[in-house]
């Protein structure tokens, strides 16, 4: 299970798609055992009642609502029969502890949530008498609520808001969400933007063009912004002139159009500066961009022959979403699992994991990282397998009917251990970085400058190491897809190939990443311009920045998800191209596998090298001709003598 041994091994003979065998089987067994442990945690929470307490709810005395309970030693009012009390009611539902992420209020099991606002204790008494649902602590009789001195501590805070039960979790939730303003404000702001859906669709639909479209869009978009600014200024001037004719009193409403015009001016100037920088970069990098044209051209052909590659982000997102939902559900189960303990400060019962059981939360947290990385690695291996099949199939008409499905089947049958090992290495680097980030956030404002600098340095170094390992893992998966070798052998082979082509790697990755970044910027700017055009005709819309930022972030995320697949395809193609050029030379028996576009690139490179050699030889020729002339002039003189 170690990574790489020191024993010398024979030279690698690359035989693409010829042999296929299981790789890293011990790591597959280890990952299977880890998954069994994750499922065991879920089973433990269900068996010990944590799942039932989360779904049905429990009161502050440890009783689960909707069922008969066993008494808890040392806790009064425990062991009650709550068969008819199926809903959890909080005496003060608006008392929220944001840091601990819970409601700091006594909870009771009731038979019915309050269907109207109850302003007095007489209303509480009337509700209890009519509906049989007592909203004060169990030891207080409902018909004596207004006279009892304990009513201020053991009855709900007045006025009691109207509540409705949640669909599944049976918690009485106030209908008026004003007390949850801190949580609801962001959601309300997002939902209240009527044009949000249209702009999101525009951002997704704009993800087709890359470089040329971006340049044209930047030029055209900049002109549109300046036109909007001039139009707005003219409209504002006409409005102000008309207002001044009608009244001489100052109008505070004139400030809003000025703010709109100033915002448009800022957008126009920013777009102009960005356009200038973009054109300068394209001008100075035009020769190097030509080096990646062939590779990107072949990547486009890959997507034409393998259209299901475009569905990979959806499949990965679906798998991650399902796992994250499961993980959050089990985490909530863990929050209500354990031994009941009485809080000495509040007198309420809380369930906590003690002893060795408390490490289940850490195990569950590691599972979040490892399994998430495993799912992402499966996507990389699937894409790599499909691209390798495409590249090393000479006759493209003989490609499998579904190369993506064939790649998935090969992954499941042979290479799950390799993916598990690669994702575990990323997990080992990510966990320390996350721990350091947590420490840095906890000590924010308390540590000295030296400690803060050291923490940030360590976090940055671990982040760089994680990115490098991600890139190496991706190439290792491609090498495994080619030769069906173990993770360490594949990583070593891929690393040697990359080192031998270091200049090409640096050039193609730099220019390729820049081009893909332009594609992401294209999608984001398309969405931003659509938002500006939509908001421009809403003259009374006072805040433009927040909706545009939300839309642009969403558009950038969508672009990143789809173009990351294109980036993986380009990287795998480059590795295949490097292996092809190293072990083949185009002679009979050693023909190239590469596409015509890459073949033209190789031929152009050979011609350039030949021209450089002829140039060097021509520069050396004059010296040889001078020496030969001297010899010829001396020869006749010698003979005459």
């Amino acid at each position: 299970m170690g990574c790489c041994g020191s024993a010398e091994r024979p030279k690698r003979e690359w035989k693409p798609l010829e042999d296929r065998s299981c790789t890293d089987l011990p790591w597959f067994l280890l990952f299977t055992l880890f998954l069994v442990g994750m499922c065991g945690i879920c089973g433990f929470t269900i068996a010990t009642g944590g799942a039932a307490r989360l779904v049905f709810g429990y009161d502050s005395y440890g009783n689960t609502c909707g069922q008969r309970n066993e008494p808890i030693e040392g806790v009064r009012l425990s062991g009650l029969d709550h068969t008819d009390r199926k809903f959890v009611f909080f005496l003060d539902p608006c008392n929220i502890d944001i840091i601990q992420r819970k409601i700091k209020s006594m909870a009771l099991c009731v038979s019915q949530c309050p269907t109207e606002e109850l302003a007095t204790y007489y209303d509480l008494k009337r509700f209890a008498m009519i509906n049989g649902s007592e909203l004060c602590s169990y030891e207080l009789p409902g018909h004596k609520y207004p006279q009892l001195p304990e009513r201020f501590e053991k009855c709900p805070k007045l006025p009691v808001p109207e509540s409705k039960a949640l669909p599944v979790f049976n918690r009485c939730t106030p209908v008026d969400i004003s007390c949850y303003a801190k949580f609801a404000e962001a959601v309300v702001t997002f939902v209240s933007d009527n044009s949000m859906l249209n702009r999101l669709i525009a951002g997704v639909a704009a993800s087709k063009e890359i470089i040329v479209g971006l340049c044209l869009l930047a030029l055209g978009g900049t002109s549109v912004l300046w036109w909007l600014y001039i139009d707005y200024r003219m409209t504002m001037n006409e409005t102000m002139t008309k207002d001044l004719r009608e009244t001489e009193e100052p109008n505070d409403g004139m400030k809003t159009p000025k703010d709109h015009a100033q915002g448009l001016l800022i957008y126009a100037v920013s777009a102009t500066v960005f356009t200038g920088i973009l054109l300068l970069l394209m001008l100075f990098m035009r020769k190097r961009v030509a080096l990646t044209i062939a590779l990107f051209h072949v990547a486009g052909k890959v997507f034409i022959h393998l259209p299901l590659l475009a569905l990979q982000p959806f499949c990965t997102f679906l798998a991650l979403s399902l796992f994250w939902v499961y993980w959050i559900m089990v985490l909530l189960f863990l929050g209500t699992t354990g031994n009941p303990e009485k809080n000495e400060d509040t007198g309420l019962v809380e369930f906590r994991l003690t002893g060795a059981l408390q490490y289940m939360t850490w195990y569950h947290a590691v599972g979040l990282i490892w399994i998430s990385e495993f799912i992402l690695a499966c996507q990389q291996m699937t894409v790599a397998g499909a691209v390798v099949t495409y590249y090393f199939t000479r006759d493209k008409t003989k490609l499998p009917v579904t190369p993506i499905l064939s790649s998935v089947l090969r992954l499941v049958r042979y290479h799950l251990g390799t993916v598990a090992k690669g994702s575990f290495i990323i997990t080992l680097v990510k966990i320390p970085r996350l721990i350091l980030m947590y420490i840095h956030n906890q000590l924010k404002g308390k540590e000295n400058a030296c400690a803060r600098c050291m923490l940030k340095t360590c976090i940055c170094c671990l982040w760089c190491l994680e990115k490098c390992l991600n890139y190496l893992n991706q190439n290792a998966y491609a090498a495994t897809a080619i030769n069906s070798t173990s993770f360490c052998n594949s990583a070593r082979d891929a690393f040697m190939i990359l080192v031998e082509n270091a200049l090409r790697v640096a050039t193609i990755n730099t220019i390729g990443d820049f081009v893909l970044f332009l594609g992401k910027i294209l999608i984001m700017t398309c969405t931003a311009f659509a938002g500006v055009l939509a908001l421009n005709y809403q003259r009374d819309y006072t805040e433009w920045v927040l909706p545009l930022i939300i839309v642009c972030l969403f558009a950038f995320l969508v672009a990143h998800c789809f173009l990351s697949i294109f980036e993986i395809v380009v990287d795998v193609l480059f590795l295949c191209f490097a292996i092809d050029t190293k072990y083949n030379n185009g002679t009979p028996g050693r023909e190239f596998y590469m596409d015509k576009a890459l073949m033209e690139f190789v031929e152009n490179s050979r011609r350039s090298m030949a021209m450089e050699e002829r140039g060097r030889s021509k520069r050396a020729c004059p010296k040889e001709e001078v020496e030969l002339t001297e010899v010829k002039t001396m020869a006749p003189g010698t003979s005459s003598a």
Side-chain angles (χ1 to χ4, degrees):
M1 291 168 63
C3 190
C4 297
S6 58
E8 186 175 353
R9 63 189 183 92
K11 185 177 179 180
R12 162 69 59 217
E13 292 184 4
W14 293 85
K15 298 179 179 179
L17 308 177
E18 291 187 12
D19 301 323
R20 194 61 57 183
S21 60
C22 293
T23 56
D24 298 296
L25 186 59
W27 280 94
F28 170 70
L29 298 177
L30 178 63
F31 185 72
T32 303
L33 291 176
F34 184 84
L35 292 180
V36 171
M38 292 286 291
C39 295
I41 292 177
C42 180
F44 175 80
T45 59
I46 295 175
T48 55
R53 281 189 286 271
L54 176 67
V55 175
F56 299 110
Y58 62 97
D59 61 16
S60 297
Y61 304 106
N63 301 301
T64 302
C65 299
Q67 65 183 37
R68 187 184 299 273
N69 297 275
E70 297 293 332
I72 301 174
E73 183 179 356
V75 179
R76 66 183 186 89
L77 298 178
S78 62
L80 301 179
D81 184 4
H82 285 335
T83 306
D84 297 330
R85 299 174 176 176
K86 300 181 180 181
F87 304 100
V88 180
F89 175 74
F90 296 95
L91 301 189
D92 187 8
C94 297
N95 187 8
I96 302 174
D97 186 354
I98 299 178
I99 297 178
Q100 298 295 329
R101 297 174 297 278
K102 63 181 181 180
I103 299 177
K104 295 175 59 177
S105 171
M106 178 183 291
L108 300 173
C109 294
V110 298
S111 58
Q112 184 178 346
C113 299
T115 56
E116 59 182 355
E117 184 179 72
L118 306 176
T120 65
Y121 291 105
Y122 289 98
D123 293 337
L124 291 177
K125 174 184 175 181
R126 176 175 53 82
F127 183 78
M129 294 296 99
I130 296 176
N131 300 294
S133 180
E134 299 178 349
L135 303 182
C136 295
S137 187
Y138 305 130
E139 70 270 22
L140 303 182
H143 64 280
K144 295 184 178 181
Y145 284 166
Q147 294 83 25
L148 294 175
E150 299 93 342
R151 66 183 183 274
F152 299 105
E153 297 178 357
K154 297 184 179 181
C155 285
K157 182 180 178 180
L158 298 178
V160 180
E162 179 185 356
S163 303
K164 287 186 178 180
L166 293 176
V168 177
F169 295 97
N170 299 328
R171 268 70 168 178
C172 294
T173 307
V175 177
D176 184 9
I177 62 171
S178 59
C179 62
Y180 302 124
K182 293 182 180 179
F183 295 93
E185 184 175 358
V187 178
V188 171
T189 303
F190 181 83
V191 175
S192 63
D193 185 5
N194 295 328
S195 62
M196 180 64 65
L197 182 60
N198 295 331
R199 282 177 284 159
L200 294 182
I201 297 175
V204 176
S207 59
K208 297 179 181 179
E209 306 295 338
I210 301 181
I211 305 176
V212 178
L214 176 61
C215 297
L216 295 177
L217 178 68
L219 291 171
T222 304
S223 304
V224 169
L225 281 174
W226 282 111
W227 174 77
L228 289 174
Y229 171 69
I230 295 173
D231 175 68
Y232 211 98
R233 289 287 298 181
M234 295 177 62
T235 304
M236 186 180 67
N237 291 336
E238 294 177 359
T239 304
M240 292 178 64
T241 303
K242 183 177 180 180
D243 292 340
L244 289 175
R245 290 176 180 176
E246 294 178 355
T247 179
E248 295 180 357
E249 296 181 0
N251 188 3
D252 295 337
M254 293 181 183
K255 185 178 180 181
T256 300
K258 291 182 179 180
D259 294 339
H260 289 172
Q262 186 177 3
L264 275 176
L265 178 61
I266 294 174
Y267 297 150
V269 172
S270 302
T272 304
V273 173
F274 175 77
T275 302
I277 295 174
L278 174 63
L279 293 179
L280 288 176
L281 288 174
M282 295 297 293
L283 177 64
F284 288 108
M285 300 174 68
R286 64 187 185 279
K287 293 183 179 179
R288 294 194 176 185
V289 169
L291 297 176
T292 61
I293 290 178
L295 207 56
F296 274 65
H297 181 68
V298 178
K301 289 185 177 180
V302 171
F303 276 89
I304 292 175
H305 286 86
L306 311 177
L308 293 181
L309 281 176
L311 297 179
Q312 286 301 303
F314 290 107
C315 298
T316 304
F317 178 76
L318 179 61
L320 286 174
S321 299
L322 293 176
F323 168 68
W324 288 342
V325 168
Y326 166 81
W327 188 87
I328 293 174
M329 180 185 67
V330 176
L331 181 66
L332 295 175
F333 289 170
L334 285 173
T336 55
T337 302
N339 299 320
E341 294 183 359
K342 186 177 181 180
N343 191 319
E344 299 298 334
D345 297 331
T346 60
L348 307 180
V349 175
E350 299 176 354
F351 290 88
R352 296 178 180 175
L353 294 171
T354 57
L357 296 178
Q358 60 186 342
Y359 295 106
M360 288 195 302
T361 305
W362 290 101
Y363 187 95
H364 195 60
V366 173
L368 171 65
I369 302 175
W370 191 3
I371 298 176
S372 298
E373 292 295 331
F374 177 84
I375 294 173
L376 294 174
C378 286
Q379 173 187 270
Q380 295 176 356
M381 177 68 86
T382 301
V383 175
V387 175
V388 165
T389 301
Y390 172 85
Y391 188 95
F392 289 105
T393 301
R394 298 187 188 277
D395 188 359
K396 305 305 180 187
T397 59
K398 296 182 179 180
L399 284 170
V401 179
T402 55
I404 299 294
L405 182 58
S406 300
S407 180
V408 172
L409 294 177
R410 287 198 302 270
L411 166 64
V412 174
R413 184 176 179 182
Y414 298 110
H415 305 311
L416 285 178
T418 299
V419 173
K421 188 172 185 177
S423 57
F424 181 76
I425 293 175
I426 301 298
T427 304
L428 289 181
V429 179
K430 182 167 286 188
I431 289 178
R433 182 172 66 85
L434 294 177
I435 292 175
L436 290 178
M437 291 176 63
Y438 175 78
I439 295 174
H440 179 263
N441 291 330
Q442 292 296 315
L443 299 179
K444 206 167 188 178
K446 301 178 182 179
E447 78 280 11
N448 55 33
C450 182
R452 183 168 59 252
C453 180
M454 291 181 62
L455 277 175
K456 290 184 177 179
T457 302
C458 293
I459 292 172
C460 181
C461 292
L462 288 174
W463 181 83
C464 294
L465 178 60
E466 181 182 339
K467 293 300 179 183
C468 293
L469 289 176
N470 266 322
Y471 182 72
L472 183 59
N473 280 10
Q474 181 177 304
N475 286 277
Y477 299 148
T480 299
I482 296 173
N483 253 13
S484 190
T485 51
S486 64
F487 175 82
C488 287
N489 290 334
S490 299
R492 179 166 46 192
D493 296 335
F495 179 76
M496 295 303 298
I497 292 292
L498 295 177
V499 169
E500 293 173 0
N501 297 269
L503 295 179
R504 284 181 174 178
V505 171
T507 301
I508 293 178
N509 279 348
T510 303
I511 306 303
D513 290 345
F514 175 71
V515 171
L516 294 176
F517 175 74
L518 293 184
K520 298 174 185 178
I521 296 298
L522 166 67
I523 299 171
M524 189 174 65
T525 50
C526 282
T527 311
F529 283 133
V532 170
L533 290 173
L535 294 175
N536 180 61
Y537 295 101
Q538 299 180 10
R539 304 287 184 175
D540 57 343
Y541 202 94
T542 57
E543 294 294 337
W544 286 23
V545 177
L546 182 59
L548 286 178
I549 290 177
I550 294 175
V551 172
C552 289
L553 289 177
F554 180 83
F556 190 85
L557 178 62
V558 172
H560 176 74
C561 291
F562 282 94
L563 291 182
S564 62
I565 301 297
F566 192 86
E567 183 178 3
I568 295 174
V569 172
V570 171
D571 290 337
V572 175
L573 283 175
F574 174 72
L575 183 67
C576 296
F577 171 75
I579 294 171
D580 196 10
T581 54
K582 180 178 180 180
Y583 294 97
N584 299 311
N585 56 13
T587 59
R590 298 180 62 185
E591 296 86 357
F592 288 119
Y593 288 94
M594 65 184 67
D595 188 84
K596 291 182 179 179
L598 292 175
M599 189 77 72
E600 292 177 0
F601 174 77
V602 172
E603 294 298 330
N604 292 335
S605 300
R606 288 179 176 178
R607 283 196 294 268
S608 300
M609 293 176 62
M611 292 177 64
E612 291 179 0
E613 291 180 358
R614 284 198 298 270
R616 285 194 297 266
S617 62
K618 287 182 179 179
R619 285 193 296 269
C621 283
K623 296 182 180 180
E624 297 177 358
E625 291 178 357
V626 170
E627 294 177 356
L628 183 59
T629 303
E630 292 177 354
V631 172
K632 289 182 178 180
T633 54
M634 289 175 62
T638 305
S639 60
S640 62

